[in-house]
Every structure is written in C-alpha cells, then in structure tokens.
Amino acid sequence: MSFQDEVKALKERGDIVLVAHNYQIGPIQDAADYAGDSFGLAKKVTELDVEYVVFCGVDFMAESALILNTDKTVIHPEPKARCPMAAMVDIDELREFKRKNPDTAVVSYVNTNVETKAESDVCCTSSNAVKVVKSLREHKVLFLPDRNLGDYITRFVKDKEITLWEGYCGTHDNITVKSIMELKDRYPDAEVLVHPECKPEVVDIADYVGSTAGMLKRAVESHAKRLIIGTEMEMGHRMRIQAPDKEFYFPDDPLCQNMKKITTDKVLRSLKELQPVVDIDKKLMERARKPLERMMEIGRGN
Ligand code: SF4
C-alpha cells in the first residue's frame, strides 16, 4: 500500500486531522488534510471538529496548535524536531532584560517556544510583524528572536526604539546575495521573492518580501515565468503544483534539517498509536495564549 493510501486508511476513523507545514517533505504535504504556515494551521485546526491533530512541523508549531486547541489532543510525530532559532532565547536572560527594562514591550515572533511566549506582551507572524509593532503604546520594544525579521520591521517603524535579540534562522540566514545574483545573471527576467528571515542585504535586492503564504500567492499571481525563491526549498513543492507553468530556483539550496526529522514512517506510527502527545503545563499555556490572543485582536483592528 502506498504512503498516501495508508494515511487514508488510518484516518478512516474520522476523528483525526493531519496537518503539515510548507517545509515538510512533499509526500507528507500531499497526504495532509491541510498544508500551510504554522500559525495558519494552528488557527485552521480551531475550526475543525476533530479529537486528534497530528502536526507535522517543529516543536513550537505543535505547541501553538495545542495552545489554541486545548480541547484537542495534539500529536507531534518527532519531538526531536526542534527549531534552533526558537531555542536561541535563553529564558533567564529574557527575564533579566524585562526586570531591567520594565518600560519595554516584549514582542515575540510565533517562532518561539511556549516559555518565551509566556514572557511576552504580544506575538507576531512574519506577515503582521510591522502592524503589531506599530500598534504598541510603548516607545521601547524588544523584538525576538529573529534579528533579520527585526531589522525588516525597523525599515517601516521609525518612531520606536527597537532592540533586537541576536537570534537567526540558519536556513534563511545562509542565503547569499552572491547566489541570488548568479541566478539573476543567468535569468535577468526572473523575479526575486524572499522571506524576511533572510539577511538585510538579501531583503534589499528582492522584488517581494513576505511570509511563505505571501510568497506562494505572489508566485501564482506573478507575470514572471521564472522565480528565484529565498526560503526553505520544500516550498517549491506547492509552488510547482499551484504554478506548473513557472520555473523556481532556490539559491544555496536552503534546507531545514529539523523539519526533515518528521518522516513518513513516523507519521504512520503517530496515526496508528496516537503518540507522542504534546503536553504543556496548563498555567504556562494560559500565559502563552495571552500574547497570541492579543496579536489576533490587533489583526482584527485596522
Ligand atoms: S526553517 Fe528556520 S525558523 Fe523554520 S523551523 Fe527551520 S530553523 Fe526554525
């Protein structure tokens, strides 16, 4: 039986949803009920009447899915699939910063662990980061953990004092101007789309900067026949399905090894055994939900 058929058979009981991040391998994305970005998936699950959620992504994504869906059991097929950037926040260092800077608002990217969210005033995604920071009453802001996304925000928010945490996503930070320009020399008509987790000098030469969902939309709608994409290369899977007439090039072949720790075997095992279950202390989860809810509140306003 193929992997897809096995997944279908295991889901026949009707109370399981399988969701996969855009950086998961193609067969897992294809077998999933929904594929997308981390926060979009966590929100999507809130609309579903299911008992079990098998979340294929890294640790903070499965945590966010549980924080927003405490009535469901969230299963993470490989708990060792952890985001190194989320792990770059030392919680004691963050608490010390807060103690010394009580007038500074702490804004954390959703790519953070539950402990970091619990210490934050508000969360943001790569698509609403600028709007969230602009909406704050406070003049001083600490943005964490991604210094590159933080730098991107400072381009649009000039009236605040923004301190950047020294974190970064190695997958995006390794994408170079040189590799992009080599492709541009070969394909001068190509459009350059990059994620704001890329270095500032990469953002400088892009035609479009946005989240994975934004990049996918742009790739489909663009008049360019060739696109140079600055994000994890598995993103090409959905781009090629949704824009089959276009060519996609990924400079420096960016791969997130942690995302790839979720394998088809582990997904099947999780669907069979409904394990390993994500378990977070209830009080910690309550505290981590508040900055997420505040972000959604800001998203609803104009
Ligand atoms: S691509 Fe970067 S931010 Fe995303 S999970 Fe991998 S290391 Fe973390």
Side-chain angles (χ1 to χ4, degrees), residues 23 58 83-85 111 169 171 197 256 259:
Y23 300 161
V58 290
C83 170
M85 177 167 76
N111 298 25
C169 160
T171 308
E197 287 174 26
C256 176
M259 283 281 181

Side-chain angles (χ1 to χ4, degrees), residues 82-141:
R82 299 193 187 108
C83 170
M85 177 167 76
M88 285 177 191
V89 179
D90 179 293
I91 209 69
D92 293 331
E93 205 183 315
L94 174 57
R95 287 187 186 131
E96 181 63 6
F97 179 95
K98 285 175 61 176
R99 200 182 57 73
K100 287 186 180 155
N101 301 276
D103 57 344
T104 300
V106 177
V107 181
S108 67
Y109 190 17
V110 286
N111 298 25
T112 45
N113 294 329
V114 62
E115 290 82 5
T116 305
K117 287 189 179 78
E119 294 292 336
S120 304
D121 293 299
V122 62
C123 288
C124 70
T125 65
S126 54
S127 24
N128 66 20
V130 172
K131 185 175 184 180
V132 166
V133 173
K134 274 187 177 171
S135 77
L136 297 172
R137 259 185 298 110
E138 291 88 343
H139 174 65
K140 291 185 186 171
V141 174

